[in-house]
Amino acid sequence: MKRLTTDEAFREAVASEGLTIAVFKTTWCKDCHFIDPFMPDLERHYEGKVTFIELDRDDLPDLCSELNILGIPSFIAFRESKELVRFVSKLRKSREEIEEFVDRAIQVSDALAQK
């Protein structure tokens, strides 16, 4: 997963015509570390359909405030700079829940692309 460290890099990444999922994390978040082992496999599974980017909430506080990122890890799907759906919860996120979110993001993105 490509890690972005500037607002500009984030805005450029989500401006793409394709589906981009931004994963907001921090180094001190236990639930963020919980997803680390299976995320590379998940990225391979969705290769060609989704681009995943990672951002550290503590490195980009203004951007995260603008996007209302409160809980971490948070997943937000973008297409052409527009937020499509987000997955935020207080509970630890399982691989299955993340896959359900990604599948839903693909459905929403595909539906908008057909309009």
Side-chain angles (χ1 to χ4, degrees), residues 5-6 16 19 24 30 37 42 49 58 62 68 72-73 77 83 92 108 115:
T5 57
T6 66
S16 145
L19 178 61
F24 294 85
K30 290 181 181 176
L42 201 124
K49 296 180 183 174
D58 292 342
D62 293 339
N68 201 27
I72 48 171
E83 180 178 328
R92 176 174 278 177
V108 171
K115 288 187 175 183

Side-chain angles (χ1 to χ4, degrees), residues 95-108:
R95 178 183 178 136
E96 293 75 23
E97 290 172 318
I98 295 169
E99 287 176 344
E100 287 173 13
F101 165 74
V102 175
D103 289 340
R104 188 175 38 153
I106 290 170
Q107 289 174 344
V108 171

Side-chain angles (χ1 to χ4, degrees), residues 48-100:
K49 296 180 183 174
V50 179
T51 300
F52 289 89
I53 57 174
E54 178 181 327
L55 300 101
D56 188 313
R57 188 184 75 178
D58 292 342
D59 291 344
L60 298 164
D62 293 339
L63 175 66
C64 290
S65 177
E66 175 188 325
L67 294 172
N68 201 27
I69 303 297
L70 302 173
I72 48 171
S74 289
F75 295 77
I76 305 180
F78 293 91
R79 181 185 185 103
E80 298 176 347
S81 301
K82 294 179 184 73
E83 180 178 328
L84 305 180
V85 289
R86 65 171 58 199
F87 177 33
V88 181
S89 71
K90 293 180 182 179
L91 306 174
R92 176 174 278 177
K93 294 157 185 68
S94 70
R95 178 183 178 136
E96 293 75 23
E97 290 172 318
I98 295 169
E99 287 176 344
E100 287 173 13

